[in-house]
Amino acid sequence: MPYFNLVKSLTSAFPNVYRISQSQVSSYTPAVCCRSKTRSEKYTDPFKLGWRDLKGLYEDIRKELLISTAELKEMTEYYFDGKGKAFRPVIVVLMARACNIHHNNSRDVRASQRSVALIAEMIHTASLVHDDVIDDASSRRGKHTVNKIWGEKKAVLAGDLILSAASIALARIGNTTVISILTQVIEDLVRGEFLQLGSKENENERFAHYLEKTFKKTASLIANSCKAVSVLGCPDPVVHEIAYQYGKNVGIAFQLIDDVLDFTSCSHQMGKPTSTDLKLGLATGPVLFACQQFPEMNAMIMRRFSLPGDVDRARQYVLQSDGVQQTTYLAQRYCHEAVREISKLRPSPERDALIQLSEIVLTRDK
Amino acid sequence: MSLRQLLLGFPRSLGASSSTRRLWWSPSLDTISSVDSWRGQPSRSRAHWNQVVSEAEKIVGYPTSFMSLRCLLSDELSNIAMQVRKLVGTQHPLLTTARRLVHDSRNNLQLRGLVVLLISKAAGPSSVDASCQNYDMVSGIYACQRSLAEITELIHTALLVHRGIVNLNELQSSDGPLKDMQFGNKIAILSGDFLLANACNGLALLQNTKVVELIASALMDLVQGVYHENCTSAKDNHITDDIGISTWKEQTFLSHGALLAKSCQAAMELAKHDAEVQGMAFQYGKHMAMSHKINSDLQPFIKEKTSDSMAFNLNSAPVVLHQEFLGRDSWIKQIGEAQEKGRLDYAKLRETIKAGKGVTSAIDLCRCHGNKALEALESFPPSEARSALENIVFAVTRFS
């Protein structure tokens, strides 16, 4: 599928993406409002499998946050309450086992690999705390945000503190290659946030810009932490690239679906209000696809949905268009690519769980 | 090229007109004084300080401009420079920080990097490491130590920027529109994060896990120090938290000493010096930073001409010591007496404090830390770099 290869490379030209005809959109339906669904349990639940190595994850993260001041400690531990999905740590430990088995049939997760799972969750959380101040968000995962409870001044310090604790844990792994790999994530997260500040006038550039932002803000963390555990478990650079490509493709798919859910999900499911992106002035995948059918959306995108009624009108356009389906289809393509990559590893329950996980990414409704 | 020259130069190189350039920082000229802790000192002492610094800069080879060109000329920072201009007219602290970066770089901003370079040169190459690449040594300093000096400055500046976030629910109408203040927060977080990410990147390139751990723990200290600083700053009634001088020292070490102490130690680690040399470098960095901080805390109380109404920090060393001598109750009474219609008469309170023992004991404390810094230096062989480090201590402990 030549058009997909173009999409896959982040510099793809937009028209090649959007010329996906309706007939090519597969039978995947986007998760719709309040839909309950059952999935055939062909494999063990990947989350269950991953959690075998993650027992005490949040307790261990809290141990890394060696802070004497009570309030500061409470703020930094606020999101490590065990109620998150731990999506990233699960992928990381599954990847660690899949690589270890591939390399020498070892069924153990090394302590250093488990540390990477902790660090990935910590870097992710530090960036959430800062993002919530930047976006002036008031709720996340069904609770108030750190900035709403303690104020912006303290919230920014809480984020910095979690980042410094993650860096200390990273240094203690004692591997300079792993330090470089995960440092790349920190840089990508910031650059992604900068990309989000600007918008491109040129429609072709706009889609590439969106995918690049998606990679930096979401996929880089998953790709690079997968790569880090592969480096710790196996000396073969081919395996490192497989781990990285799997993480990158699943990461992009994850974010594309997140952007779809912002249009299709009820607020109580996401734990945050929907149409958040539009309200922040951001044009995500569904909007960019919808804009191809309704060119009148261009003006709204350029003014970042700032006029009264823009958000509602844009939302209507998106729902009337096939933007949601197109974005879901694109996410599916990324997942297929992830599966193609991970299938190069020797079979193992963990490898199959990672394949299963890519499907869950597509069908999740929250 | 100094940081200041870089900052002054770069909008022009990006094609910004001179009028937009002026917008960014020209309103600062009249307000800069309130944030510049050095401005108030007697000009003799300031001239002396400038001389000490410029001589030290000659020793390390080239002037201390640590923010790398790569970082300053990046799209991200030029984007920020454009965005900051939108805040002119509001009271967002990011503006003050931006002005400080430009105007104050001579004194406070580059001092940390300069000290890291000087102590690197004073220690020289390690005997253990004779085989090591002396080829990347310029003016007796390894390239990795120069990177470290730059990283130290990046972290310090990042936290300066993050210090200047405002709480949106405490805004006064005089601050400016909510939207602008929100925007200022956004830009402040992003630019601080950008500097931190660059620091992390530089650290990773050093390829030394011990140095990464040391500097990451210095960052953790610094963030906690800034948190305490925010918490203990005076509330509306001007009553500060009851902290004694020992708590003050702990918190000041976190906010002002840890980064320099650990960077000095890390510079030794990079040259493979043993634990003892590393420990001495840590001690110098710590005590020099403490004495530097106490010196700047003392300025409102010792300078020859005082602009009477100028506010001073109620958590500065002389005030905390004054309070400790006096007892909490009498201090609260004194603050009450210096207030009129809810406004604190700083001139009056300053005279009250000067009449007590706080100022002289702060001078003693400053000298005590200075002496400890000098003691730590004794383990380094005599050199012009060591003399420059001594001169920095002499300059911050001189009160006449």
Side-chain angles (χ1 to χ4, degrees):
Chain A
M1 293 180 192
Y3 57 82
F4 175 60
N5 288 325
L6 280 162
V7 171
K8 191 179 63 175
S9 76
L10 295 178
T11 52
S12 67
F14 181 70
N16 294 320
V17 180
Y18 97 88
R19 254 187 247 116
I20 301 165
S21 74
Q22 194 63 47
S23 62
Q24 283 171 303
V25 175
S26 84
S27 57
Y28 266 108
T29 47
V32 288
C33 190
C34 306
R35 186 169 58 125
S36 68
K37 60 196 307 305
T38 47
R39 208 183 42 248
S40 62
E41 299 286 310
K42 198 166 109 199
Y43 308 94
T44 332
D45 176 359
F47 283 88
K48 232 183 231 166
L49 198 58
W51 268 97
R52 284 187 316 182
D53 295 311
L54 292 173
K55 280 190 196 88
L57 169 75
Y58 294 107
E59 288 81 357
D60 292 342
I61 289 177
R62 291 199 289 268
K63 276 182 210 149
E64 300 289 341
L65 298 163
L66 274 174
I67 297 153
S68 51
T69 320
E71 186 186 50
L72 206 44
K73 195 166 170 59
E74 193 187 341
M75 268 195 294
T76 53
E77 290 179 351
Y78 184 67
Y79 287 129
F80 301 116
D81 56 0
K83 293 190 183 119
K85 296 186 293 282
F87 177 69
R88 290 157 188 82
V90 166
I91 288 195
V92 170
V93 290
L94 289 175
M95 181 61 80
R97 275 181 184 265
C99 290
N100 297 354
I101 291 169
H102 178 84
H103 175 52
N104 57 6
N105 230 356
S106 148
R107 294 235 45 190
D108 292 321
V109 167
R110 291 160 183 250
S112 59
Q113 291 174 317
R114 190 172 180 278
S115 289
V116 172
L118 266 70
I119 292 162
E121 188 69 0
M122 289 167 83
I123 293 177
H124 171 61
T125 306
S127 86
L128 289 185
V129 173
H130 280 191
D131 283 359
D132 283 345
V133 184
I134 289 172
D135 299 341
D136 196 27
S138 50
S139 69
R140 164 168 311 273
R141 293 182 190 159
K143 6 198 240 183
H144 290 297
T145 53
V146 174
N147 42 303
K148 284 301 156 198
I149 300 177
W150 287 282
E152 288 75 9
K153 265 179 110 69
K154 287 177 181 172
V156 72
L157 296 177
D160 289 346
L161 208 50
I162 298 169
L163 181 70
S164 67
S167 304
I168 293 173
L170 178 57
R172 288 195 180 137
I173 291 179
N175 182 314
T176 55
T177 309
V178 169
I179 291 178
S180 296
I181 293 169
L182 289 176
T183 298
Q184 183 63 45
V185 175
I186 296 169
E187 195 174 328
D188 284 342
L189 284 170
V190 180
R191 288 190 189 267
E193 201 62 47
F194 271 98
L195 286 175
Q196 199 161 290
L197 271 187
S199 39
K200 291 267 182 275
E201 274 178 60
N202 181 319
E203 286 172 41
N204 295 337
E205 285 175 24
R206 216 183 263 158
F207 207 89
H209 189 263
Y210 165 66
L211 286 179
E212 191 185 350
K213 184 216 80 182
T214 302
F215 171 75
K216 294 207 154 125
K217 282 205 69 181
T218 310
S220 172
L221 174 62
I222 301 171
N224 283 299
S225 24
C226 283
K227 186 176 174 185
V229 287
S230 75
V231 166
L232 289 166
C234 167
D236 183 359
V238 174
V239 173
H240 307 162
E241 185 60 17
I242 292 170
Y244 179 86
Q245 289 299 335
Y246 172 84
K248 175 182 132 182
N249 284 288
V250 163
I252 294 177
F254 181 88
Q255 187 58 49
L256 289 172
I257 294 301
D258 217 50
D259 294 344
V260 164
L261 289 171
D262 199 42
F263 285 94
T264 59
S265 175
C266 307
S267 58
H268 70 269
Q269 273 179 321
M270 290 290 282
K272 63 180 181 185
T274 45
S275 297
T276 329
D277 294 328
L278 287 177
K279 287 173 195 158
L280 290 170
L282 304 177
T284 57
V287 175
L288 296 178
F289 280 115
C291 184
Q292 292 304 316
Q293 275 169 279
F294 302 102
E296 48 270 51
M297 292 181 78
N298 260 315
M300 281 193 263
I301 293 175
M302 286 318 294
R303 62 176 179 254
R304 300 180 78 97
F305 314 103
S306 55
L307 288 186
D310 274 0
V311 169
D312 283 335
R313 252 180 303 151
R315 196 182 149 86
Q316 285 314 314
Y317 277 128
V318 167
L319 296 178
Q320 283 165 34
S321 75
D322 61 0
V324 161
Q325 289 89 331
Q326 296 269 30
T327 311
T328 310
Y329 179 69
L330 188 57
Q332 245 178 285
R333 302 306 313 157
Y334 277 103
C335 277
H336 286 176
E337 184 63 13
V339 170
R340 201 178 64 80
E341 289 286 345
I342 199 71
S343 302
K344 295 175 187 168
L345 294 185
R346 190 185 291 191
S348 65
E350 284 77 16
R351 187 198 75 167
D352 294 344
L354 286 169
I355 293 172
Q356 169 92 351
L357 202 69
S358 70
E359 195 181 310
I360 294 175
V361 162
L362 287 176
T363 52
R364 73 202 174 99
D365 56 8
K366 61 172 191 170
Chain B
M1 206 180 341
S2 74
L3 169 66
R4 177 178 175 154
Q5 287 168 314
L6 279 172
L7 278 168
L8 287 168
F10 92 93
R12 198 174 1 201
S13 67
L14 289 163
S17 72
S18 60
S19 64
T20 57
R21 239 187 327 132
R22 211 173 60 234
L23 260 181
W24 184 22
W25 52 68
S26 68
S28 66
L29 291 169
D30 50 341
T31 52
I32 184 75
S33 54
S34 61
V35 294
D36 184 346
S37 57
W38 284 90
R39 174 207 171 242
Q41 33 178 355
S43 56
R44 202 154 31 92
S45 152
R46 172 154 200 170
H48 174 67
W49 172 257
N50 286 343
Q51 195 191 340
V52 168
V53 170
S54 69
E55 273 165 19
E57 282 183 339
K58 282 179 207 147
I59 294 168
V60 295
Y62 36 88
T64 48
S65 80
F66 298 108
M67 308 293 194
S68 62
L69 269 169
R70 170 178 46 85
C71 181
L72 269 179
L73 297 179
S74 64
D75 287 352
E76 281 81 1
L77 270 198
S78 60
N79 197 345
I80 285 173
M82 300 301 161
Q83 309 279 9
V84 167
R85 285 186 286 124
K86 293 188 195 162
L87 296 174
V88 173
T90 71
Q91 295 297 310
H92 202 283
L94 180 60
L95 278 177
T96 321
T97 311
R99 286 168 199 148
R100 264 176 95 168
L101 287 178
V102 175
H103 287 274
D104 206 23
S105 56
R106 183 94 206 143
N107 302 309
N108 290 324
L109 258 150
Q110 308 195 354
L111 181 63
R112 289 154 197 84
L114 179 60
V115 167
V116 171
L117 292 185
L118 285 170
I119 205 146
S120 299
K121 184 162 183 171
S126 158
S127 50
V128 190
D129 199 33
S131 64
C132 186
Q133 329 99 344
N134 283 350
Y135 60 83
D136 70 351
M137 238 183 175
V138 176
S139 305
I141 300 161
Y142 290 110
C144 55
Q145 291 171 319
R146 288 189 188 271
S147 305
L148 177 69
E150 183 179 308
I151 290 162
T152 307
E153 288 295 339
L154 284 171
I155 291 176
H156 172 72
T157 311
L159 263 290
L160 269 187
V161 173
H162 277 179
R163 258 177 240 239
I165 304 281
V166 292
N167 282 339
L168 296 174
N169 62 359
E170 294 165 11
L171 294 181
Q172 314 278 316
S173 55
S174 62
D175 288 330
L178 173 67
K179 254 194 127 148
D180 290 347
M181 297 305 275
Q182 251 171 351
F183 184 74
N185 273 356
K186 182 170 169 169
I187 297 303
I189 294 191
L190 276 176
S191 35
D193 283 351
F194 178 74
L195 295 171
L196 279 182
N198 273 277
C200 290
N201 202 13
L203 271 179
L205 290 172
L206 294 178
Q207 302 269 317
N208 182 318
T209 58
K210 201 182 160 199
V211 168
V212 175
E213 188 175 344
L214 259 175
I215 302 299
S217 80
L219 174 62
M220 193 179 221
D221 292 343
L222 182 55
V223 175
Q224 287 182 263
V226 171
Y227 170 85
H228 291 305
E229 213 174 66
N230 285 347
C231 282
T232 51
S233 60
K235 313 290 179 309
D236 289 339
N237 59 3
H238 303 295
I239 308 288
T240 53
D241 287 351
D242 189 10
I243 59 163
I245 193 69
S246 64
T247 309
W248 184 90
K249 279 192 202 169
E250 279 167 30
Q251 295 183 354
T252 305
F253 171 71
L254 293 176
S255 58
H256 288 79
L259 179 61
L260 190 56
K262 291 179 176 175
S263 290
C264 286
Q265 182 184 347
M268 302 299 100
E269 162 68 24
L270 284 173
K272 307 277 190 298
H273 286 292
D274 61 21
E276 200 193 326
V277 177
Q278 289 187 25
M280 288 302 160
F282 178 97
Q283 291 301 323
Y284 176 80
K286 172 185 170 174
H287 292 295
M288 200 288 284
M290 294 298 282
S291 101
H292 180 258
K293 165 71 172 142
I294 298 166
N295 178 300
S296 77
D297 278 4
L298 274 161
Q299 294 310 314
F301 300 94
I302 57 171
K303 61 195 171 187
E304 288 145 8
K305 265 192 290 178
T306 305
S307 53
D308 281 347
S309 58
M310 206 178 102
F312 52 87
N313 181 355
L314 293 175
N315 269 306
S316 59
V319 185
V320 171
L321 283 162
H322 172 78
Q323 190 184 157
E324 192 149 284
F325 281 115
L326 206 63
R328 179 77 172 167
D329 294 342
S330 313
W331 168 240
I332 289 175
K333 204 168 144 233
Q334 282 188 346
I335 289 188
E337 283 162 4
Q339 277 183 69
E340 215 171 301
K341 294 175 198 142
R343 279 179 63 95
L344 189 59
D345 181 347
Y346 278 97
K348 190 174 175 186
L349 191 62
R350 182 183 296 109
E351 291 315 310
T352 312
I353 292 169
K354 278 166 89 169
K357 282 188 277 187
V359 175
T360 46
S361 45
I363 291 176
D364 290 343
L365 188 61
C366 178
R367 291 191 170 135
C368 169
H369 282 292
N371 286 333
K372 284 182 183 161
L374 292 174
E375 272 169 42
L377 280 181
E378 280 169 18
S379 59
F380 292 84
S383 68
E384 54 175 359
R386 193 184 87 167
S387 306
L389 290 168
E390 287 164 355
N391 288 339
I392 288 174
V393 175
F394 295 143
V396 293
T397 52
R398 206 170 84 152
F399 294 99
S400 55

